[in-house]
Amino acid sequence: MIQDYLKYVQSVKGGAERTVEAYRNDLLRYENYCNNNDISVQSAEPYEVQKFIADLSAERMSAASVNRCLSSIRGFYRWMIRFNKRDDNPCSSLRNIKMPVKLPHVLWENEMADFAALPVSTGILWPERDKALIMAMYSGGLRISEVVSLSMASISADLDEAKITGKGGKERYVFFSDEAIAAIMEYLPQRAARLRMAGMDSKKSALFISRKGQSISVPGVRWIISRYAQHSGLGKNIHPHALRHSFATHMVNSGCDVRVVQEMLGHSSISTTQRYTHVNLEKLKNVYAKAHPHAQGASL
């Protein structure tokens, strides 16, 4: 039944490969637990699912991972109900574990400007491509999977916007700033030259490519960002998603409505976007602690 459910998630619900793999790992772990404790997966009681979740917490699994596992099980039983394999959902009374507020890693405006200048100033990899890559991710608030799948066909003729497909197959438009457009324009002739050498059509392939003319990969983007992070001297945890976090934080700080930012990011829940207001509040607290005479030296 688990395999049938996973096929349903992938083919009918349009679940991404990574999402389906996460569900598979969670459900197989749950199945093993049931088998080891003489529990029937099909007829498990609420207290038995709750015991499984409690055991995960006892193993010091993070709250986010425990909640994802519970979500996987909950969805599995919803599927069983829908296809008349069970009458009730044993997870309906179970609540997610409260998660600690974890602020995302961001680069402030001046730090982002310095980081975007690193490809040219260091010259360590492919400066024009890497600056365009960094600016596109930051300017458009792109996930790493979205920037990898960005193609020339998805970008407007003026290079100022692109239509992308995000999580869950949801489509949205993202926009590029003048600086991002300038960086992409400087990169495109070099991209075209490399694709000609590889015998490929520059109009049909991915926007960001490797030196060999192949579409850049997710590990490739991580490696590129990590190389520049090593040269940044900023002392921060800089990774591809930090550029998306920075985009969202800067938009909120500039007075952009949180719901507009939510749409730009492609978030399903407004609560996911609202954490960027907490980032701004944390920064204001730190500025206050350093500047106010009565607060100097205080720990906030």
Side-chain angles (χ1 to χ4, degrees):
M1 284 191 297
I2 289 177
Q3 296 305 321
D4 289 343
Y5 170 64
L6 294 174
K7 290 178 183 177
Y8 168 80
V9 171
Q10 189 166 32
S11 60
V12 179
K13 302 273 289 184
E17 185 177 339
R18 290 177 63 187
T19 300
V20 174
E21 187 61 27
Y23 285 178
R24 177 180 288 107
N25 292 337
D26 292 338
L27 291 173
L28 290 180
R29 184 168 189 160
Y30 174 59
E31 183 183 43
N32 288 336
Y33 171 85
C34 290
N35 290 340
N36 292 335
N37 290 273
D38 296 324
I39 299 170
S40 167
V41 172
Q42 187 167 353
S43 58
E45 296 293 335
Y47 75 89
E48 291 172 324
V49 180
Q50 187 174 31
K51 179 65 168 55
F52 169 68
I53 296 301
D55 284 0
L56 294 182
S57 298
E59 293 173 10
R60 297 186 178 275
M61 180 181 282
S62 70
S65 296
V66 173
N67 288 339
R68 189 201 65 199
C69 200
L70 178 57
S71 177
S72 299
I73 299 170
R74 192 181 283 128
F76 172 64
Y77 282 120
R78 277 200 299 264
W79 171 81
M80 289 183 65
I81 294 171
R82 179 170 184 174
F83 291 95
N84 301 315
K85 299 177 185 297
R86 184 177 171 124
D87 295 329
D88 65 316
N89 192 328
C91 302
S92 59
S93 62
L94 303 182
R95 298 291 177 262
N96 285 354
I97 297 174
K98 186 175 181 180
M99 294 178 58
V101 177
K102 186 177 180 181
L103 299 182
H105 296 284
V106 302
L107 299 175
W108 302 115
E109 286 84 342
N110 60 321
E111 294 174 331
M112 189 64 233
D114 291 343
F115 188 74
L118 284 174
V120 176
S121 63
T122 60
I124 57 174
L125 299 174
W126 183 351
E128 291 75 17
R129 178 203 61 186
D130 298 343
K131 181 173 182 180
L133 174 69
I134 291 171
M135 291 307 304
M137 294 183 73
Y138 167 64
S139 179
L142 298 175
R143 299 180 177 95
I144 187 170
S145 59
E146 294 168 349
V147 75
V148 164
S149 62
L150 201 60
S151 67
M152 291 301 298
S154 64
I155 304 176
S156 65
D158 296 332
L159 305 178
D160 60 345
E161 65 180 51
K163 185 178 182 180
I164 63 170
T165 302
K167 281 187 175 181
K170 293 190 300 182
E171 293 185 338
R172 74 179 193 279
Y173 282 93
V174 298
F175 309 100
F176 300 128
S177 65
D178 290 343
E179 189 175 354
I181 294 171
I184 294 172
M185 289 182 67
E186 189 172 357
Y187 156 65
L188 286 179
Q190 296 184 16
R191 170 186 174 276
R194 289 187 183 273
L195 289 173
R196 280 196 301 271
M197 291 176 60
M200 299 174 65
D201 188 345
S202 63
K203 294 181 180 180
K204 295 183 178 180
S205 58
L207 172 60
F208 294 108
I209 61 172
S210 68
R211 290 183 180 274
K212 295 181 179 179
Q214 301 297 320
S215 298
I216 200 167
S217 65
V218 168
V221 174
R222 288 201 181 101
W223 183 77
I224 290 168
I225 298 300
S226 68
R227 287 295 304 277
Y228 291 114
Q230 293 168 10
H231 285 76
S232 70
L234 294 172
K236 288 191 170 184
N237 181 13
I238 304 174
H239 48 82
H241 216 66
L243 305 184
R244 178 172 157 90
H245 291 324
S246 301
F247 159 82
T249 302
H250 300 168
M251 293 294 290
V252 171
N253 289 357
S254 298
C256 188
D257 186 271
V258 175
R259 293 199 176 274
V260 175
V261 178
Q262 176 191 4
E263 187 172 344
M264 289 180 175
L265 293 171
H267 283 162
S268 300
S269 171
I270 187 66
S271 62
T272 307
T273 315
Q274 285 175 331
R275 61 180 172 164
Y276 296 109
T277 62
H278 298 307
V279 176
N280 188 38
L281 179 61
E282 190 69 19
K283 184 183 180 183
L284 291 175
K285 284 182 178 180
N286 291 332
V287 170
Y288 173 81
K290 293 177 181 178
H292 196 285
H294 293 172
Q296 288 179 8
S299 176
L300 295 179

